[in-house]
Amino acid sequence: MPNYCDNRVTVAGDEEIMAEFYALVQSDTSMFAFENVLPEPAFFDLMQSGKMDFAVDGEIQTHSHWIEEAGPDGNTVARPLSKAELAHFKGLARLDPDCWREAHWGTKWGPIDLFEDTDEEMASYSFTTAWSPPQGIIEALREKFPDLDFVAFFDCEEDQEAGYY
């Protein structure tokens, strides 16, 4: 069970740019969808873990992660992760989506217990994340929208840490 981190993010700016911001961060399921800002690699939905043997270059190799997808005949086909897919995990401790999100988003999951208050020129979000604040998400938004003002505050009570980022 994670330690939870409370977050408050306020975004303000010109009405036209705020409309672009809302178009990016809103989804059918969330008013602040991290996956819209920094999308996870698509193959995560197909990735399996455990132990499976594959013949690679005439040699049997055991892999702990692989992809299962529909083959040309409609049957499920398993294959090891490609070099391009493995590159998404370069420098990470584990080959799993949680580790990827921690490295790129700054937190293990998207926002939970999300409350928002928005209008044409300002958005305020209060939400909880696992372990740490979503610094990677806020940094990516600051890069995409340099003319918007972002104020981000976190409070990780269990770790006795709080501050602006």
Side-chain angles (χ1 to χ4, degrees):
M1 183 168 137
N3 291 339
Y4 292 103
C5 184
D6 295 320
N7 300 271
R8 289 190 310 270
V9 175
T10 304
V11 184
D14 177 74
E15 189 174 323
E16 190 174 302
I17 300 171
M18 286 298 293
E20 293 174 27
F21 169 81
Y22 290 135
L24 175 66
V25 300
Q26 294 176 355
S27 73
D28 292 340
T29 58
S30 179
M31 294 299 288
F32 196 20
F34 291 0
E35 63 274 10
N36 288 1
V37 179
L38 289 174
E40 297 176 33
F43 70 89
F44 282 172
D45 292 338
L46 306 171
M47 194 168 82
Q48 303 295 316
S49 61
K51 296 255 185 244
M52 184 173 271
D53 292 334
F54 294 93
V56 178
D57 297 329
E59 183 180 306
I60 299 298
Q61 296 179 352
T62 301
H63 290 258
S64 57
H65 294 83
W66 64 91
I67 300 294
E68 287 185 358
E69 55 195 348
D73 59 1
N75 291 327
T76 301
V77 176
R79 64 169 176 79
L81 294 173
S82 70
K83 287 182 181 181
E85 290 162 341
L86 286 169
H88 288 281
F89 298 103
K90 186 176 182 176
L92 302 184
R94 297 179 316 278
L95 285 117
D96 69 27
D98 288 344
C99 197
W100 184 92
R101 284 188 294 268
E102 287 175 38
H104 293 86
W105 293 0
T107 185
K108 191 174 183 178
W109 312 316
I112 56 174
D113 299 330
L114 175 66
F115 297 97
E116 50 87 23
D117 182 17
T118 61
D119 64 30
E120 291 82 16
E121 295 180 347
M122 190 176 85
S124 294
Y125 302 96
S126 296
F127 55 92
T128 302
T129 53
W131 299 108
S132 54
Q135 289 181 300
I137 295 295
I138 301 306
E139 289 171 14
L141 287 168
R142 285 178 173 140
E143 285 180 26
K144 290 178 194 244
F145 300 100
D147 294 327
L148 294 180
D149 294 318
F150 290 85
V151 177
F153 178 80
F154 75 98
D155 182 2
C156 298
E157 190 174 319
E158 290 286 326
D159 295 335
Q160 298 182 0
E161 287 185 79
Y164 291 91
Y165 60 96

